[in-house]
């Protein structure tokens, strides 16, 4: 997804923030405005949730409660957490992750950060060598190893995100 950045006067930014507070935030409001200008389908651009959480009570039969507990437990979630995630997925709210998915995503982010740090060290060493007038010989095996690690982390990330999206898809 592309990022668009712009500078506006502080007064305009404050007024935009006030209007956007009831529209799911500035980003959501601006995405909808851009979609309107481009005649894009606004249904594809869901607003972010806004406002204080409120409580709703739902009653289930004992057998349904057992089923909910089983299904939620399989995802490492509580019954309430699973029901909230299900409803939010239907409302097109931000993605709902189980504890296992959170842990997997955190591990992937740590690995990508580690690789990024290694690449920065390689670039820094190459720049210093060039500044000192030395010829830089790239270590192709290190580059191949980094590429393999990045490819693996990206595959794991895609798997986690696709698995989550598949799980919450409507089953009719």
């Amino acid at each position: 997804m592309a990022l668009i950045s712009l500078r506006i006067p502080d007064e305009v930014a404050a007024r935009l923030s006030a209007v956007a507070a009831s529209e799911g935030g500035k980003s959501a409001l601006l995405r909808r405005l851009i979609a309107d200008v481009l005649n894009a389908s606004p249904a594809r651009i869901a607003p972010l949730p806004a406002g204080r959480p409120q409580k709703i009570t739902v009653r289930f039969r004992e057998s349904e409660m057992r089923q909910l507990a089983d299904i939620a437990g399989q995802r490492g979630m509580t019954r309430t957490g699973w029901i909230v995630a299900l409803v939010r997925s239907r409302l097109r709210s931000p993605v709902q992750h189980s504890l296992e998915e959170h842990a997997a995503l955190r591990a992937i982010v740590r690995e990508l950060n580690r690789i990024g740090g290694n690449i920065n060290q390689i670039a820094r060493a190459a720049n210093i060598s060039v500044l000192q007038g030395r010829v830089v010989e790239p270590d192709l095996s290190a580059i191949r190893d980094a590429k393999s690690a990045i490819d693996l982390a990206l595959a794991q990330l895609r798997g986690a995100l696709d698995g989550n999206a598949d799980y919450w898809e409507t089953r009719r």
Side-chain angles (χ1 to χ4, degrees):
M1 182 178 290
L3 172 68
I4 297 175
S5 175
L6 66 132
R7 295 192 183 282
I8 56 175
D10 292 339
E11 172 190 316
V12 174
R15 289 175 50 205
L16 177 64
S17 292
V19 171
S22 63
E23 299 290 329
K26 292 181 282 192
S27 291
L29 175 61
L30 291 172
R31 282 193 304 270
R32 281 196 302 281
L33 291 172
I34 291 169
D36 288 346
V37 168
L38 299 175
N39 295 320
S41 170
R44 294 181 61 209
I45 302 173
L48 295 174
R52 257 185 55 233
Q54 296 186 14
K55 182 179 178 178
I56 187 169
T57 303
V58 181
R59 295 185 183 272
F60 292 102
R61 302 197 185 285
E62 188 177 323
S63 62
E64 294 168 324
M65 292 294 279
R66 282 193 304 273
Q67 286 178 305
L68 284 171
D70 289 344
I71 291 170
Q74 291 170 7
R75 297 227 4 115
M77 302 173 89
T78 64
R79 285 186 313 226
T80 301
W82 188 87
I83 293 168
V84 168
L86 177 64
V87 171
R88 285 181 177 161
S89 74
R90 298 305 183 264
L91 296 175
R92 302 275 188 231
S93 290
V95 176
Q96 310 299 308
H97 296 285
S98 69
L99 294 176
E100 287 178 2
E101 289 168 334
H102 273 291
L105 292 171
R106 272 191 235 108
I108 292 167
V109 167
R110 278 193 305 273
E111 182 65 15
L112 289 172
N113 282 333
R114 187 189 66 75
I115 294 166
N118 290 346
I119 291 171
N120 282 338
Q121 288 176 356
I122 293 167
R124 194 173 308 119
N127 286 334
I128 289 171
S129 294
V130 168
L131 289 174
Q132 293 174 348
R134 292 184 287 173
V135 176
V136 177
E137 291 292 329
D139 182 355
L140 296 179
S141 67
I143 294 171
R144 277 192 290 275
D145 290 347
K147 182 185 181 321
S148 294
I150 290 170
D151 290 344
L152 176 63
L154 289 174
Q156 291 171 335
L157 180 60
R158 278 188 213 99
L161 296 176
D162 289 346
N164 183 283
D166 290 346
Y167 181 84
W168 294 111
E169 284 295 313
T170 305
R171 297 179 196 172
R172 294 183 185 183

